[in-house]
Amino acid sequence: MKKILIINGPNLNLLGNREKNFYGDTSLERIKSLCAEECKKNEIESEFFQSNHEGEIIEKIHSVQNGFDGIIINPAAYTHTSIALLDALRATSKPKIEVHISNIYAREDYRRKSITSEAVNGIICGFGENGYILAIEAIKKLIYSND
Ligand code: DQA
């Protein structure tokens, strides 16, 4: 069975309590169960991971090359700052989708640049929790077209 990794970066553990005007009421636990359900429906195995630490996220991305068929990542604020995450993403040849709950292009100037998106196949943003479901649909197509 195909297997994907879904990574969430810093402060996303606070969803539901944090800046609801941008992120709504959804919680990370809810996103986790929505993703698990969608992956199950699509007969894809999935692992869901969140960390507030850049190094931990980088090491998790390293595990993709030999352990997974693709990655969905919401790098959160590291999107806008981390060349280290960009390099880690570039080091895997597997399909990669970047997700943002909010529309980063409709927010502050410093959020309008995604450094990490230079390494991914595509980016989905502004659709709230549904962005993760759209990303699962997109990655499935990429994984199977890679075969
Ligand atoms: C975010 C957008 C980022 O700019 C922000 O730092 C986040 C969440 C999103 O999902 O909309 O933490 O990645």
Side-chain angles (χ1 to χ4, degrees):
M1 207 188 313
K2 301 292 187 189
K3 187 172 178 188
I4 62 166
L5 178 61
I6 303 169
I7 295 184
N8 288 280
N11 302 308
L12 292 172
N13 55 313
L14 301 179
L15 285 176
N17 297 311
R18 171 192 178 215
E19 298 186 281
K20 290 188 181 189
N21 50 324
F22 289 118
Y23 307 119
D25 283 328
T26 198
S27 64
L28 196 64
E29 269 311 301
R30 182 176 149 79
I31 291 175
K32 182 178 177 177
S33 62
L34 287 174
C35 287
E37 202 180 301
E38 188 65 18
C39 285
K40 201 171 163 200
K41 237 196 278 174
N42 284 285
E43 298 182 339
I44 295 172
E45 224 180 294
S46 64
E47 184 179 325
F48 198 87
F49 176 81
Q50 190 273 333
S51 173
N52 295 318
H53 303 277
E54 192 173 19
E56 278 180 13
I57 296 170
I58 290 166
E59 280 167 9
K60 203 68 188 170
I61 295 171
H62 291 171
S63 75
V64 171
Q65 190 61 27
N66 296 313
F68 296 87
D69 298 291
I71 178 169
I72 293 171
I73 184 165
N74 182 345
Y78 291 138
T79 305
H80 319 294
T81 63
S82 182
I83 295 170
L85 246 72
L86 168 66
D87 289 347
L89 287 166
R90 280 204 173 129
T92 170
S93 61
K94 302 297 167 81
K96 291 157 270 191
I97 310 262
E98 180 172 313
V99 173
H100 297 284
I101 295 164
S102 64
N103 179 356
I104 57 171
Y105 299 102
R107 298 185 60 187
E108 303 94 326
D109 278 351
Y110 56 82
R111 291 186 206 275
R112 291 185 191 171
K113 165 88 183 148
S114 166
I115 291 176
T116 46
S117 66
E118 289 176 31
V120 300
N121 296 78
I123 169 166
I124 294 167
C125 76
F127 296 100
E129 64 187 17
N130 194 38
Y132 289 82
I133 305 301
L134 297 171
I136 291 167
E137 187 186 335
I139 205 145
K140 189 181 171 191
K141 293 215 168 92
L142 289 171
I143 288 171
Y144 284 101
S145 71
N146 250 13
D147 278 354

